[in-house]
Amino acid sequence: MTVRLYDSKAQALRDFIPLVPGKVGIYVCGPTVQSSPHIGHLRSALVYDQLRRWLAYRGNDVTFVRNVTDIDDKILVNAQGSTEEWWALAYRYELEFTAGYQRLGILAPTYEPRATASVQQMQEIIERLVDRGHAYPAADGSGDVYFATGSWPAYGELTRQSLDNMEAAADADPRGKRDPRDFALWKGHKADEPASASWPSPWGDGRPGWHIECSAMAARYLGSQFDIHGGGLDLRFPHHENELAQSTAAGDAFANYWVHNGLVNVGGQKMSKSLGNSVFAAELLEQARPIVVRYYLGAAHYRSTLDFLPGSLAEAEAALERVESFLDRADRRLADTRFAASGVEVVPDEFATAMDDDLAVPQALGVLHDTVRAGNAALDAEDLHAAASARSQVLAMSEVLGINPLSPGWAVATDEPAMVALTALVERLLADREIARQSRDFAAADRIRSELVDAGITIEDTPSGAHWSFD
């Protein structure tokens, strides 16, 4: 069965057909590292980890790009009045996001570019837009450059809005705009901003607007046309709408599919500073084992709103314990029998059908738990062949979902700080090795593998990425 995804632009389920058969390029809007990560950030990152894992299981070579927005108005504001430089604040919070992702077993991106490293590419797109008549430098001497929304008839196509019904863009002072709905591509340097947050440009010193950052990084790492653009539902407008407009107006085909994940409520209410109900990643990960948090965050359909309630993690713990209990029971009973290592780890057809259908994880989890029940019944009946088959299927399904209790990462992610640190170091080395392989620098990739093997780490390359364990 063909994988089908809900395309937000088409507002319909579409068969997923990669631009290049067997290869998939995914760009996901990563965090703006202005403050600590919360539950919504974790949920969004986990959704695209599930998508990536499933597409890899289906035999695709996935290039996964998740950016870091490390220059932004909010970062500069949050650093004001502090002895901490804006870039140091951004890096400190970036490390918090990375730690949260790692603890949830979210695979490291193929590439994780920072916005500040692609300013040249942003300026090149802006110049193309100016040359094509879709952007203009402000006439007030501010150094700002704006996208001329009225020059692009397709503006609004992602969210199906008419320009006449749109409110003014609030991303810059409107004094230099020809139309209040025009949005900033480049922001001229201001006297009260640090000089380090400024780059030279044809329009004067300044810094990029938020929207142009992702257009430039997506094209730089995936090309002018790629398969999937993902992000939270709250990014559809104006961020993704503006990305689509500026990229296509500059001549890039951009994303073939737009995928958006639902948001997270807390106790039936939207998270907000005014309500004081934000649930931060560090707080959430103190309430349960990371594998339980992953199970909870990934159990709902990715397009649905996830409501965090008292008892949510306890329910996830109970569900995961049923899986763990069966695997433990099966391993003990099948040990020293001819069924101990029998069965190829392949997901059942029902599980595959659910995952192919717009990543229907709730239905896929239903198949997982049905298989657990069948496996326990087989053990009760001393049908070891059926029990071994169920065990193999449970391992295959839980591995695809990233909740395999027997994976070595979960064995070390919750206990001693030294083991947590080791996991982070090994995952970073594996990410560096993958970058080297993508760049065809096989000598560097082999050197990293040899260093890990010499340290007692076993590396297994699989369709879903490299997995490691102790010798």
Side-chain angles (χ1 to χ4, degrees):
M1 179 178 178
T2 302
V3 175
R4 305 187 75 207
L5 294 173
Y6 185 84
D7 182 356
S8 298
K9 184 169 178 282
Q11 295 189 9
L13 281 172
R14 294 177 57 202
D15 290 350
F16 176 65
I17 303 173
L19 288 167
V20 179
K23 294 183 180 294
V24 178
I26 302 176
Y27 182 89
V28 173
C29 285
T32 298
V33 285
Q34 57 168 316
S35 58
S36 296
H38 56 63
I39 186 173
H41 295 122
L42 296 183
R43 196 259 176 121
S44 182
L46 178 53
V47 161
Y48 298 103
D49 186 64
Q50 290 177 325
L51 175 60
R52 174 190 186 179
R53 287 171 181 262
W54 182 245
L55 290 173
Y57 180 85
R58 276 307 199 193
N60 296 287
D61 178 11
V62 180
T63 299
F64 187 89
V65 182
R66 185 185 65 223
N67 79 293
V68 176
T69 296
D70 61 339
I71 179 67
D72 181 78
D73 292 349
K74 295 176 182 177
I75 293 173
L76 299 182
V77 168
N78 289 349
Q80 285 180 349
S82 168
T83 58
E84 186 175 31
E85 297 280 0
W86 65 270
W87 46 264
L89 178 144
Y91 183 58
R92 175 164 57 85
Y93 286 126
E94 179 185 337
L95 292 178
E96 288 190 28
F97 277 88
T98 300
Y101 298 153
Q102 289 176 340
R103 292 194 69 189
L104 287 181
I106 293 171
L107 300 174
T110 312
Y111 307 110
E112 192 171 22
R114 297 188 183 109
T116 51
S118 294
V119 173
Q120 178 183 340
Q121 288 74 20
M122 299 170 199
Q123 292 182 359
E124 290 171 356
I125 295 176
I126 296 171
E127 287 186 287
R128 282 155 55 195
L129 288 168
V130 172
D131 291 343
R132 288 168 172 247
H134 298 302
Y136 59 91
D140 60 358
S142 62
D144 294 347
V145 181
Y146 296 104
F147 182 86
T149 52
S151 75
W152 190 243
Y155 187 65
E157 64 179 329
L158 179 64
T159 51
R160 303 199 177 188
Q161 296 186 77
S162 166
L163 184 61
D164 293 337
N165 296 327
M166 292 183 189
E167 296 181 356
D171 61 342
D173 193 313
R175 67 187 184 283
K177 295 184 178 183
R178 297 174 182 172
D179 186 311
R181 291 159 296 195
D182 295 349
F183 58 87
L185 299 169
W186 187 259
K187 297 185 175 185
H189 179 68
K190 299 178 179 60
D192 62 347
E193 294 179 349
S196 58
S198 179
W199 288 261
S201 83
W203 317 283
D205 290 353
R207 56 188 172 85
W210 176 33
H211 313 300
I212 197 67
E213 295 178 355
C214 286
S215 284
M217 287 183 281
R220 181 178 184 181
Y221 291 92
L222 293 174
S224 61
Q225 185 176 17
F226 55 95
D227 294 300
I228 299 172
H229 192 311
L233 191 63
D234 55 332
L235 297 180
R236 287 177 68 238
F237 188 87
H239 185 48
H240 290 170
E241 188 73 73
N242 292 351
E243 276 187 69
L244 175 61
Q246 65 202 7
S247 292
T248 50
D252 292 346
F254 213 51
N256 274 12
Y257 298 80
W258 289 83
V259 177
H260 291 93
N261 64 275
L263 306 182
V264 179
N265 288 344
V266 176
Q269 294 181 305
K270 182 180 178 180
M271 278 195 303
S272 70
K273 290 182 180 179
S274 61
L275 292 175
N277 64 347
S278 297
V279 178
F280 291 98
E283 173 189 354
L284 182 69
L285 287 163
E286 288 177 355
Q287 296 181 33
R289 294 180 292 152
I291 190 174
V292 172
V293 175
R294 180 180 176 107
Y295 184 102
Y296 164 67
L297 291 176
H301 192 276
Y302 77 89
R303 287 194 284 121
S304 67
T305 298
L306 182 65
D307 198 8
F308 183 65
L309 300 166
S312 293
L313 293 177
E315 293 175 3
E317 176 79 54
L320 189 62
E321 283 180 350
R322 289 193 289 272
V323 177
E324 293 172 318
S325 176
F326 164 67
L327 290 173
D328 179 64
R329 185 184 177 204
D331 286 348
R332 285 185 283 106
R333 181 63 188 88
L334 297 173
D336 301 323
T337 74
R338 63 188 180 91
F339 300 104
S342 67
V344 178
E345 294 179 8
V346 177
V347 303
D349 290 343
E350 297 85 355
F351 180 94
T353 298
M355 294 295 286
D356 282 341
D357 185 17
D358 195 30
L359 222 64
V361 172
Q363 287 73 24
L365 284 173
V367 177
L368 172 64
H369 287 288
D370 285 345
T371 308
V372 166
R373 283 188 286 271
N376 279 320
L379 289 172
D380 291 341
E382 285 294 308
D383 185 348
L384 300 189
H385 181 272
S389 176
R391 177 188 181 278
S392 296
Q393 291 181 341
V394 167
L395 288 175
M397 290 184 281
S398 59
E399 186 66 30
V400 165
L401 295 173
I403 54 171
N404 179 4
L406 303 185
S407 289
W410 295 123
V412 301
T414 62
D415 298 321
E416 297 83 10
M419 299 306 291
V420 176
L422 174 63
T423 300
L425 289 172
V426 173
E427 293 290 348
R428 174 50 61 187
L429 286 171
L430 289 177
D432 291 343
R433 175 173 174 259
E434 181 58 26
I435 290 173
R437 294 174 70 186
Q438 292 280 346
S439 303
R440 304 189 69 79
D441 186 356
F442 299 115
D446 290 341
R447 185 182 68 253
I448 293 171
R449 183 187 183 98
S450 296
E451 289 174 355
L452 290 169
V453 170
D454 290 342
I457 303 294
T458 297
I459 307 300
E460 179 186 3
D461 292 311
T462 73
S464 62
H467 296 271
W468 65 276
S469 60
F470 294 108
D471 287 337

